[in-house]
């Protein structure tokens, strides 16, 4: 087993993992140490990794089962599990998700099964930076008054694709614009408002921003008011950290335990402000726990 170092990040949660070269196959103990650190910290990053496509593909499978993303027009050709994140345009069209994540949300809470984690690898990063913010929804739940915990513990939220705080598809803070075919495919799903983690057993507020548009059995206005209250609670500064990717960073976040928000970007004008990341949606339990 390779000895790894777990270095906490600033902000109260998240960790940098040192000592692993992900271009080489991980033995079982090293992989389990990585995955254990991931669940203990909700966000992990391994810097300056030099990964071929096959290396990245292999690493993502350690976190769970790959899931092709709903935004099929932005998937990597030949590999539907990889979604491109980019500010590069070709023929006046973005080659990847450009503005569709610049709001607080939980990845793919609008489908069943939802994401259990998201894994990204940074290939190109703008010189001026482009940090992503994360909020710790375990800590946010833990700090709720007992009366609020009793109120929300058994509630079920109604999710569908979109950002309830901004439904103007031309806005940079709305969800990624859908094709006509994708719009016809949108359905609603029900998810617990408080999710008990499938690995650790810890409770967290789940999906209270972004794609949640109601609560089963509640009038719409009361449901939105509660969801907004919980979302504002989760994104308080004391629960937040940010990570600004550098080239070679591999990062993963626990979608059952976090909210996150990217920055509004500008289209790349040259080599110095290009941004390209590979992103994979993962469902289910990591293989070391199976």
């Amino acid at each position: 087993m390779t000895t790894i170092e777990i270095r906490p990040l600033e902000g109260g949660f998240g960790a940098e993992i040192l000592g692993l070269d992900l271009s080489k196959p991980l033995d079982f103990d090293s992989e389990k140490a990585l995955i254990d650190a991931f669940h203990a910290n909700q966000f992990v990053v391994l810097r300056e990794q030099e990964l071929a496509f096959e290396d990245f593909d292999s690493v993502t499978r350690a976190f769970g089962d790959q899931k092709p993303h709903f935004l099929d027009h932005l998937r990597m050709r030949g590999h539907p599990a990889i979604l491109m994140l980019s500010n590069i345009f070709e023929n006046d069209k973005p080659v990847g998700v450009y503005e569709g994540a610049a709001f607080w949300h939980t990845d793919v809470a609008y489908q069943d099964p939802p994401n259990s984690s998201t894994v990204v690898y940074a290939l190109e990063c703008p010189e001026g930076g482009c940090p992503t913010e994360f909020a710790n929804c375990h800590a946010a739940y833990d700090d709720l008054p007992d009366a609020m915990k009793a109120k929300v513990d058994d509630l079920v939220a109604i999710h569908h694709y979109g950002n309830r705080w901004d439904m103007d598809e031309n806005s940079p803070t709305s969800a990624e614009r859908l094709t006509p075919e994708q719009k016809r495919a949108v359905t609603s799903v029900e998810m617990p408002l408080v999710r008990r983690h499938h690995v650790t057993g810890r409770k967290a507020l789940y999906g209270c921003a972004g794609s949640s548009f109601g609560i089963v059995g509640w009038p719409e206005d009361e449901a939105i008011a509660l969801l907004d209250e919980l979302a504002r609670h989760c994104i308080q500064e004391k629960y937040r950290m940010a990570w600004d990717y550098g080239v070679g960073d591999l990062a993963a976040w626990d979608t059952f335990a976090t909210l996150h928000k990217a920055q509004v970007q500008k289209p790349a004008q040259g080599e110095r402000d290009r941004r390209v990341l590979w992103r994979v949606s993962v469902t289910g339990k990591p293989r070391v726990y199976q």
Side-chain angles (χ1 to χ4, degrees):
M1 173 183 173
T2 302
T3 301
I4 70 171
E5 178 184 352
I6 301 171
R7 182 178 297 171
L9 300 177
E10 294 182 4
F13 73 104
E16 180 181 357
I17 308 299
L18 298 94
L20 290 179
D21 179 355
L22 299 178
S23 68
K24 300 175 181 178
L26 299 178
D27 59 46
F28 178 87
D29 289 339
S30 297
E31 184 173 310
K32 187 172 186 301
L34 169 62
I35 298 301
D36 286 346
F38 169 69
H39 286 119
N41 292 280
Q42 293 87 60
F43 173 93
V44 294
V45 62
L46 295 89
R47 303 179 64 192
E48 300 179 349
Q49 299 290 313
E50 296 182 4
L51 305 182
F53 173 82
E54 293 78 9
D55 302 326
F56 174 69
D57 180 67
S58 177
V59 170
T60 65
R61 296 175 189 275
F63 288 83
D65 298 324
Q66 293 181 340
K67 178 182 179 181
H69 198 279
F70 180 66
L71 299 173
D72 51 8
H73 64 301
L74 298 176
R75 296 173 185 167
M76 177 180 283
R77 292 178 182 175
H79 200 307
I82 292 185
L83 190 71
M84 303 295 289
L85 309 181
S86 182
N87 66 343
I88 298 170
F89 282 65
E90 294 179 355
N91 300 318
D92 297 323
K93 293 183 178 180
V95 301
V97 174
Y98 168 57
E99 293 178 331
F103 62 96
W104 289 104
H105 66 285
T106 297
D107 284 335
V108 197
Y110 51 82
Q111 286 189 319
D112 192 9
N115 273 30
S116 54
S117 59
T118 300
V119 189
V120 301
Y121 179 60
L123 289 88
E124 298 185 62
C125 299
E127 287 187 356
C130 189
T132 299
E133 292 187 272
F134 296 87
N136 184 344
C137 296
H138 278 320
Y141 174 82
D142 290 344
D143 287 349
L144 288 175
D146 288 344
M148 179 60 83
K149 289 179 180 177
K151 180 177 182 178
V152 302
D153 267 357
D154 296 322
L155 295 180
V156 176
I158 302 168
H159 289 259
H160 60 77
Y161 184 88
N163 172 17
R164 75 165 183 274
W165 287 345
D166 186 354
M167 291 296 289
D168 178 1
E169 66 177 18
N170 295 311
S171 168
T173 58
S174 68
E176 186 74 23
R177 185 181 300 182
L178 301 180
T179 66
E181 292 78 12
Q182 290 164 348
K183 289 180 180 179
R184 289 192 290 269
V186 169
T187 58
S188 294
V189 299
E190 297 178 359
M191 294 288 166
L193 184 54
V194 175
R195 182 178 286 277
R196 187 178 290 279
H197 198 277
H198 65 312
V199 171
T200 68
R202 290 187 66 187
K203 289 183 178 181
L205 290 168
Y206 178 73
C208 54
S211 63
S212 53
F213 285 81
I215 297 173
V216 173
W218 281 47
E220 182 178 0
D221 58 342
E222 294 180 22
I224 296 300
L226 178 60
L227 291 169
D228 285 350
E229 179 183 354
L230 294 172
R232 288 192 296 268
H233 172 69
C234 283
I235 62 176
Q236 293 179 82
E237 190 67 31
K238 63 182 177 178
Y239 301 128
R240 283 158 58 177
M241 54 79 71
W243 185 257
D244 196 358
Y245 298 101
V247 173
D249 286 1
L250 182 135
W253 56 91
D254 188 335
T255 56
F256 288 165
T258 58
L259 289 167
H260 70 282
K261 177 172 76 73
Q263 282 194 355
V264 174
Q265 302 178 80
K266 294 181 179 180
Q269 301 299 311
E271 294 297 320
R272 294 184 175 183
D273 63 352
R274 289 165 57 101
R275 185 174 190 259
V276 179
L277 290 84
W278 290 334
R279 174 195 181 282
V280 167
S281 296
V282 173
T283 66
K285 283 188 176 182
R287 59 193 177 193
V288 294
Y289 300 145
Q290 295 176 3

